[in-house]
Amino acid sequence: MSKTPKIQRGALIPLRQPNVSRTTLSLTLGGLMVLSIVGLFFLDIKGANPWQAMIKALEDMGKMFFQPVIEHFDWQDIPLDLLITLSMAFLTTLIGAICALFLALLSARNIGNKYLSGPISSFVALIRAVPTVLWVLIFAVSAGLGSVAAVVGMSFHSAGYLVKAYTESFEELDDGVIEALKAGGAGWWSIVFQAVLPASMSYLISWTFLRFEINFVQAVALGAAAGAGGIGFNLQMAAGHYANIREVGTFTWIILVTAIIFELVATRLKEKTRLLL
Amino acid sequence: MAIDSLEKNTALSRANVYFRAHKIRSFIGLALVLALTIAASSIAGFDLIAGIESFPKAFGWMANNFVPNQDSLSNAPRIMQKLLETVFVAIVSTVIGAVIALALALLGARSTGGNAVISALIRTFASVLRNIPIVAWAIIFLFSFGASTFTGFLALALGSIGLLTRAFMESIDETSQSTVEALKASGASRVQIIFQAVLPSVLPQIVSWVLYMIETNIRDATLVGLLTNSGIGFAFSIYYKSMQYTSAGLTVLSIVIVIVLLELVSNKLRRLIL
Amino acid sequence: MALLEVNNLTKYYKEKLALNAASFNVRKGEFVSVIGRSGAGKSTLLRCINRMIDANDGSVQFADTDLYSLGKRAMRKTRRHVGMIFQHYNLVYRLTVLENVLHGRLGYKSDLDGILGRYTQQEKELAVEMIDKLDLTEQIYNRCDTLSGGQKQRVGIARALVQDPQLILCDEPIASLDPRSAKVIMDHLKKIASKMNIGILCNLHQVDVALKYSDRIIGMKQGEVVFDDVPEKLGKKTIHEIYGTTDGDLIDE
């Protein structure tokens, strides 16, 4: 089938023949570079002197990281604020997980309905196309700016992300077990609760925890930009209202440390689930 | 015979103990989740009923305002311009971030870097960049660069470097460790190995990550735009605050269209490249 | 002087002794097999020879040079003359056969040429010739991930050959291959040794293959060389000693 190329001594020997993969790769890289250069024209510093600003930024970061301070907030309130943010993240993860579980069971090709699989992923893709902050603001029209709108708004992406994750986990299961139970006459619910869930539990937990980590960061962002309260709100206040970069530093540290703890636990979980394979 | 039934009984009782322990564990697990939920709800001030009740009203709002009308269409050109701004800023910050991340990853990866200290430093650096939310970076840079697109660009770029450095390092180690060994054994230099073996193996995955990062950054840029008064996030907040809800709805629609298109294009590209 | 002289090579991993004063020679054009259990030190031995891993004690003389006296740059130059093939082929799967084979020349090229992938006409023709010798001409522009295991290993051999080596180290080259491909590979290696006068040092875990192809066999047990002689002298008793087994334990009895 493949044409044996004629290679002659003394003639030019190409290293490869044109193929789709490499051409697409080069075109994509080229396209990205062109778009970036165009994008540079969209960046404007609104009149500020870039070098001065750069130096100030570095100074700021020095102050922020090495001289954190608390002036406008009560020390005792801060753990509570952090807990508020964590609670919002927890709630939205839980809601997302429950919704995702149902949708994933329906959409996984080996246990659900194969006709539902496509529509569900398209539906999920559409939901994920609306940035979380916009979901929150949409719901804030009816529920007001606060934790209700934040949790509900975040749950859309929570659920969307977990649907994809859970579906993949289910589809990766050894179909043999499902086949065996079906052959023995077990009903769908039994198969789900006695085989599918136990077998994929460690994956599900891992993915859910990963989403919890992401939701924490989202909750911080919403606290800062959409009035949801918590440590993110403190961060925004320290910057926008009190204009105190060192206070901003304190909150940044708190968020950074929390996020790193999350990351460490997540890595440990990921290793453990690989062993449980 | 008596011994057989004795063995059967002990096996049965052991099984019963196992199942009971299993049931107790599940029960405790569920009770724990329930307790945490109640605690979290009270701490955060979250009312589940209020949440459920907000749905019909929110859907009503969406139905009303997602249909473009004369008002919103008159704002369409402005929306388009802001949208382009956001998209391009996301692309530039991702690409520049990716270039820096690739350089760092090549230095820090086990197969191409070599120095364990540098590797650890790079990992820590990337971790700090990654774990500080983009929102926080934006807030920090507001102090020195003011509310401008450049601030958003910096925040997104740093966040991208944080995430991509680690992703690239893992890809590099995954795909090229064995080839690096082979070429090293034949006497090739480190630079040659990087260009002739590592990059050809890892480039598809890198492009895949970059495309994914651009998508993520467009979403994040919307939120950052709220704080830096730039881009499509800014457009949305203006219409939202001034209660021009149909225009706000149109803004959301335009974002959805762009992101969906982008996803389709990048999926197709990914499939062709890999 | 022999092509390769290994003297008292010793290597520790934490407290475990991976190589224990291993000594032997390889002559030009000689086909030497190394047999022994997994973990007996075969892989470590090969890598201590081309200094991919550095031994703790002992010396390696290759073409009248003490390899352990060389600095990094000199060692890199010397590696040009030592080819290596691997159990898992170690190719760049996205690239074509020709590109992978040409990688063997990188040791001879400047950094800049290596970065840009600029190979001379002679180098390309050499690569084509080696590809032809290994019956891969039809696949020359195919991506390596489309090849079978045996074909992949032949690419690896071609890559080693374009280095114009004096010695080729083989780390379990047929361990992942089916019997038919394995024979093809071993036949090529044997031809390389006898026709091209290149020394071959080959790790194997199939004793019968070693018996069939080698000019000499080296048996290793727990890092020590316990046998170093022609295949005819390898008796059942020695085989059992190397593998720590008794009659009837081994699959090829």
Side-chain angles (χ1 to χ4, degrees):
Chain A
M1 184 192 90
S2 52
K3 28 190 158 65
T4 312
K6 292 212 172 80
I7 302 193
Q8 294 167 310
R9 299 289 138 110
L12 187 65
I13 304 177
L15 287 178
R16 64 190 84 95
Q17 288 178 326
N19 72 13
V20 181
S21 172
R22 254 151 144 183
T23 331
T24 320
L25 187 60
S26 321
L27 283 177
T28 311
L29 283 173
L32 283 175
M33 251 173 269
V34 168
L35 288 173
S36 310
I37 298 180
V38 173
L40 284 173
F41 289 105
F42 279 93
L43 297 179
D44 80 283
I45 313 190
K46 291 249 161 65
N49 181 323
W51 296 120
Q52 268 181 1
M54 201 79 69
I55 297 179
K56 179 165 194 298
L58 287 170
E59 276 177 10
D60 279 346
M61 287 207 269
K63 270 191 248 168
M64 194 184 79
F65 279 119
F66 298 115
Q67 305 170 0
V69 91
I70 286 286
E71 278 166 22
H72 301 104
F73 296 87
D74 229 333
W75 255 121
Q76 288 110 299
D77 285 339
I78 294 184
L80 182 62
D81 290 329
L82 185 60
L83 267 175
I84 292 180
T85 306
L86 284 168
S87 303
M88 288 197 286
F90 174 80
L91 289 168
T92 186
T93 313
L94 187 63
I95 296 176
I98 294 176
C99 298
L101 201 55
F102 283 115
L103 285 175
L105 284 171
L106 288 173
S107 118
R109 255 163 282 184
N110 47 355
I111 36 180
N113 195 326
K114 64 178 172 216
Y115 295 114
L116 285 177
S117 186
I120 289 185
S121 31
S122 309
F123 176 64
V124 163
L126 246 114
I127 288 186
R128 292 180 67 208
V130 179
T132 304
V133 69
L134 296 187
W135 277 121
V136 173
L137 289 174
I138 290 177
F139 274 81
V141 174
S142 44
L145 281 176
S147 53
V148 176
V151 170
V152 172
M154 280 196 280
S155 305
F156 286 95
H157 275 240
S158 265
Y161 177 95
L162 287 175
V163 166
K164 186 153 181 274
Y166 290 173
T167 312
E168 267 179 37
S169 307
F170 292 152
E171 285 178 351
E172 260 185 44
L173 285 175
D174 184 1
D175 283 344
V177 178
I178 300 174
E179 207 184 344
L181 290 184
K182 255 198 226 165
W188 188 82
W189 286 101
S190 312
I191 297 183
V192 164
F193 275 89
Q194 294 304 321
V196 175
L197 287 184
S200 46
M201 192 55 78
S202 52
Y203 284 116
L204 300 184
I205 294 183
S206 270
W207 280 116
T208 313
F209 190 82
L210 283 183
R211 187 67 211 179
F212 186 22
E213 188 184 350
I214 297 177
N215 284 341
F216 170 70
V217 176
Q218 296 267 17
V220 170
L222 290 173
I231 199 99
F233 181 68
N234 292 358
L235 182 69
Q236 163 61 4
M237 286 294 275
H241 199 79
Y242 300 118
N244 187 332
I245 186 78
R246 292 162 67 197
E247 226 166 356
V248 170
T250 315
F251 292 119
T252 310
W253 269 113
I254 297 177
I255 296 171
L256 175 62
V257 169
T258 315
I260 289 188
I261 295 179
F262 264 110
E263 195 183 307
L264 290 173
V265 177
T267 323
R268 194 71 59 81
L269 262 181
K270 265 191 256 183
E271 283 170 16
K272 249 174 114 186
T273 48
R274 231 166 274 176
L275 289 173
L276 284 168
L277 254 178
Chain B
M1 284 298 282
I3 303 176
D4 277 336
S5 67
L6 184 62
E7 279 181 5
K8 221 192 295 181
N9 276 332
T10 30
L12 240 147
S13 51
R14 239 184 276 150
N16 277 332
V17 169
Y18 169 79
F19 279 119
R20 209 169 337 132
H22 195 72
K23 269 194 202 141
I24 292 181
R25 242 188 312 155
S26 318
F27 183 71
I28 293 183
L30 279 170
L32 192 63
V33 171
L34 197 62
L36 281 174
T37 312
I38 298 178
S41 305
S42 75
I43 293 178
F46 175 70
D47 184 352
L48 184 59
I49 314 285
I52 298 180
E53 281 176 352
S54 67
F55 266 84
K57 203 161 170 219
F59 282 135
W61 186 96
M62 288 196 280
N64 277 330
N65 295 307
F66 278 1
V67 181
N69 63 12
Q70 249 201 338
D71 249 342
S72 57
L73 284 175
S74 67
N75 285 320
R78 222 166 306 156
I79 294 179
M80 278 291 109
Q81 197 240 356
K82 285 298 174 190
L83 189 62
L84 271 169
E85 195 179 289
T86 302
V87 170
F88 274 106
V89 169
I91 293 181
V92 181
S93 54
T94 312
V95 170
I96 292 186
V99 169
I100 298 179
L102 185 56
L104 288 176
L106 285 171
L107 281 172
R110 240 174 301 135
S111 43
T112 55
N115 193 328
V117 174
I118 294 187
S119 187
L121 277 174
I122 291 182
R123 263 179 228 267
T124 323
F125 179 65
S127 198
V128 167
L129 288 188
R130 225 178 133 236
N131 284 311
I132 295 182
I134 305 217
V135 151
W137 284 121
I139 290 178
I140 294 169
F141 288 124
L142 275 172
F143 278 92
S144 33
F145 289 92
S148 63
T149 48
F150 195 76
T151 315
F153 157 77
L154 273 181
L156 291 173
L158 286 187
S160 305
I161 295 179
L163 193 142
L164 291 177
T165 308
R166 205 177 73 175
F168 290 172
M169 274 204 279
E170 283 173 6
S171 293
I172 290 176
D173 280 332
E174 224 181 83
T175 57
S176 56
Q177 247 181 341
S178 58
T179 349
V180 169
E181 192 188 9
L183 291 189
K184 203 169 157 213
S186 70
S189 72
R190 181 143 64 115
V191 197
Q192 290 174 331
I193 294 180
I194 290 179
F195 277 87
Q196 286 298 316
V198 177
L199 286 184
S201 308
V202 92
L203 224 40
Q205 285 192 21
I206 288 186
V207 171
S208 193
W209 274 109
V210 170
L211 290 173
Y212 164 79
M213 199 75 221
I214 292 181
E215 254 183 72
T216 311
N217 276 343
I218 291 186
R219 290 197 201 106
D220 284 336
T222 313
L223 191 145
V224 167
L226 282 171
L227 290 167
T228 61
N229 291 344
S230 56
I232 198 81
F234 182 50
F236 180 87
S237 78
I238 288 196
Y239 295 132
Y240 183 81
K241 287 189 187 140
S242 63
M243 303 232 265
Q244 293 177 279
Y245 285 148
T246 40
S247 301
L250 186 60
T251 320
V252 177
L253 271 181
S254 61
I255 296 179
V256 170
I257 293 176
V258 164
I259 291 186
V260 169
L261 277 175
L262 185 61
E263 247 193 70
L264 289 172
V265 168
S266 42
N267 281 341
K268 191 84 211 291
L269 283 176
R270 261 188 232 130
R271 231 173 302 145
L272 285 177
I273 291 178
L274 278 171
Chain C
M1 275 228 99
L3 175 66
L4 177 73
E5 282 183 20
V6 176
N7 277 315
N8 287 313
L9 213 50
T10 310
K11 172 76 187 166
Y12 291 93
Y13 279 122
K14 310 227 170 150
E15 286 114 39
K16 193 170 174 280
L17 202 54
L19 281 183
N20 195 349
S23 302
F24 59 90
N25 290 354
V26 177
R27 280 182 287 275
K28 272 206 176 123
E30 206 182 6
F31 192 122
V32 179
S33 297
V34 181
I35 59 172
R37 297 173 78 163
S38 325
K42 309 199 295 284
S43 282
T44 315
L45 175 66
L46 288 191
R47 285 173 175 76
C48 284
I49 289 178
N50 64 0
R51 290 189 65 187
M52 296 290 282
I53 301 177
D54 274 341
N56 297 110
D57 202 7
S59 75
V60 175
Q61 297 270 74
F62 172 70
D64 298 330
T65 322
D66 179 6
L67 292 187
Y68 276 85
S69 71
L70 298 178
K72 258 175 86 172
R73 198 160 270 190
M75 187 63 223
R76 186 157 80 79
K77 279 206 179 132
T78 315
R79 289 214 181 104
R80 296 175 193 168
H81 305 289
V82 181
M84 192 162 182
I85 62 179
F86 303 83
Q87 179 183 354
H88 297 296
Y89 329 119
N90 294 17
L91 306 173
V92 182
Y93 286 122
R94 276 183 61 85
L95 299 181
T96 59
V97 167
L98 181 57
E99 285 171 307
N100 271 285
V101 172
L102 280 169
H103 281 169
R105 294 299 302 175
L106 286 176
Y108 288 91
K109 308 185 77 62
S110 70
D111 276 352
L112 188 60
D113 282 337
I115 291 176
L116 298 175
R118 275 208 296 235
Y119 298 103
T120 66
Q121 182 69 10
Q122 292 99 305
E123 287 174 329
K124 290 193 206 170
E125 288 182 0
L126 176 64
V128 171
E129 194 188 318
M130 292 302 141
I131 290 175
D132 192 43
K133 272 216 169 85
L134 290 161
D135 303 313
L136 284 171
T137 314
E138 251 192 65
Q139 285 83 14
I140 191 170
Y141 286 122
N142 290 11
R143 262 168 67 145
C144 283
D145 54 6
T146 61
L147 302 177
S148 72
Q151 289 169 324
K152 286 178 188 163
Q153 193 59 287
R154 280 185 270 149
V155 176
I157 297 178
R159 179 177 61 188
L161 285 179
V162 299
Q163 287 176 236
D164 196 15
Q166 295 170 284
L167 171 71
I168 297 186
L169 305 172
C170 313
D171 192 5
E172 309 250 9
I174 55 173
S176 304
L177 298 177
D178 63 86
R180 198 174 80 153
S181 314
K183 179 173 189 307
V184 170
I185 298 296
M186 293 309 291
D187 285 345
H188 276 300
L189 289 176
K190 183 71 181 173
K191 233 195 309 177
I192 290 170
S194 50
K195 296 249 168 71
M196 297 173 78
N197 211 20
I198 295 177
I200 303 260
L201 184 60
C202 188
N203 281 352
L204 289 170
H205 61 246
Q206 301 95 322
V207 182
D208 54 338
V209 174
L211 288 172
K212 188 169 166 201
Y213 287 91
S214 324
D215 296 323
R216 254 184 36 249
I217 294 186
I218 295 187
M220 290 196 72
K221 182 179 172 178
Q222 285 168 342
E224 269 186 70
V225 173
V226 299
F227 178 82
D228 180 355
D229 215 326
V230 291
E232 292 77 38
K233 297 254 180 76
L234 184 67
K236 264 213 178 144
K237 189 154 161 272
T238 331
I239 296 181
H240 285 307
E241 191 195 321
I242 294 176
Y243 287 93
T245 51
T246 46
D247 266 325
D249 270 354
L250 293 177
I251 202 167
D252 31 8
E253 283 182 291

